[in-house]
Amino acid sequence: MDLAIIDQTKAGVNQYHQDLVRCVLDYAGKYLELPDDTEMSVTFMNNEEIHQYNKKYRGIDKPTDVISFAIEEDGDDPPVLPDELMDAELAKNIGDILVSVDIINSQAEYLGHSYERELGFLVVHGFLHLNGYDHMLGDAEEKEMFDLQREILDNYGLKR
């Protein structure tokens, strides 16, 4: 997985937690059998910043824990590439995840599990959204997404 991690927080997200995100998402990518060169990004921010994204892009005037911006690829228009790249395999960028570090702390405390479990939960949740899973489409879709999310986290070792 080609993963870019951007830390916009004032306090900083430590290297251990950034490495955890890399490992969990790499594991999730292999679990879903994505190509190794799949690209995406995770941006850490505070509540004020994620609040602005939530308001602008979702019409919800409050902070949230995680937002996923999937890159939609429709097959209608072929890509405009130089001839030498037309036959090359190009990495697929699946999108971006925004995570509020403020909410990781508060939700982990509220739910009675570790910061690491909550961090893993949020990035896997966002990752599944980037890969077409959506718990808001109905009961069956919700069950499918949350079962898969729990399976990935449990098998990785981030159990509740």
Side-chain angles (χ1 to χ4, degrees):
M1 171 98 42
D2 186 3
L3 175 64
I5 294 180
I6 301 123
D7 182 4
Q8 294 182 184
T9 64
K10 292 180 178 83
V13 175
N14 68 42
Q15 192 62 50
Y16 172 77
H17 290 126
Q18 290 186 34
D19 291 344
L20 176 63
V21 167
R22 286 184 193 286
C23 290
V24 168
L25 290 177
D26 189 52
Y27 182 83
K30 287 179 178 22
Y31 205 87
L32 295 184
E33 299 179 355
L34 298 181
D36 289 338
D37 62 351
T38 300
E39 298 175 346
M40 63 174 290
S41 73
V42 174
T43 301
F44 292 105
M45 55 186 50
N46 61 33
N47 275 351
E48 294 81 28
E49 292 171 313
I50 207 162
H51 180 170
Q52 294 308 312
Y53 281 94
N54 208 24
K55 186 176 181 180
K56 181 175 182 178
Y57 294 104
R58 299 179 66 219
I60 300 172
D61 192 12
K62 65 180 184 177
T64 190
D65 50 7
V66 62
I67 301 175
S68 300
F69 292 103
I71 294 178
E72 304 291 329
E73 291 187 6
D74 58 18
D76 295 345
D77 296 321
V80 179
L81 298 171
D83 290 338
E84 62 271 10
L85 292 179
M86 285 301 287
D87 294 327
E89 280 193 37
L90 300 175
K92 180 178 181 186
N93 189 324
I94 59 174
D96 308 301
I97 300 171
L98 310 179
V99 180
S100 169
V101 295
D102 298 328
I103 294 180
I104 295 171
N105 284 321
S106 63
Q107 284 183 173
E109 186 176 315
Y110 174 76
L111 295 169
H113 57 236
S114 70
Y115 179 95
E116 289 76 15
R117 170 58 165 79
E118 190 64 21
L119 173 61
F121 174 87
L122 292 178
V123 297
V124 169
H125 185 86
F127 174 79
L128 291 176
H129 275 299
L130 295 182
N131 284 283
Y133 293 89
D134 192 347
H135 57 91
M136 300 177 83
L137 294 177
D139 291 342
E141 291 82 358
E142 180 177 352
K143 181 176 178 1
E144 177 185 23
M145 182 175 176
F146 284 121
D147 285 352
L148 180 57
Q149 186 171 279
R150 186 172 21 266
E151 198 174 301
I152 290 169
L153 290 167
D154 286 354
N155 289 336
Y156 181 80
L158 287 175
K159 297 181 180 185
R160 289 187 98 178

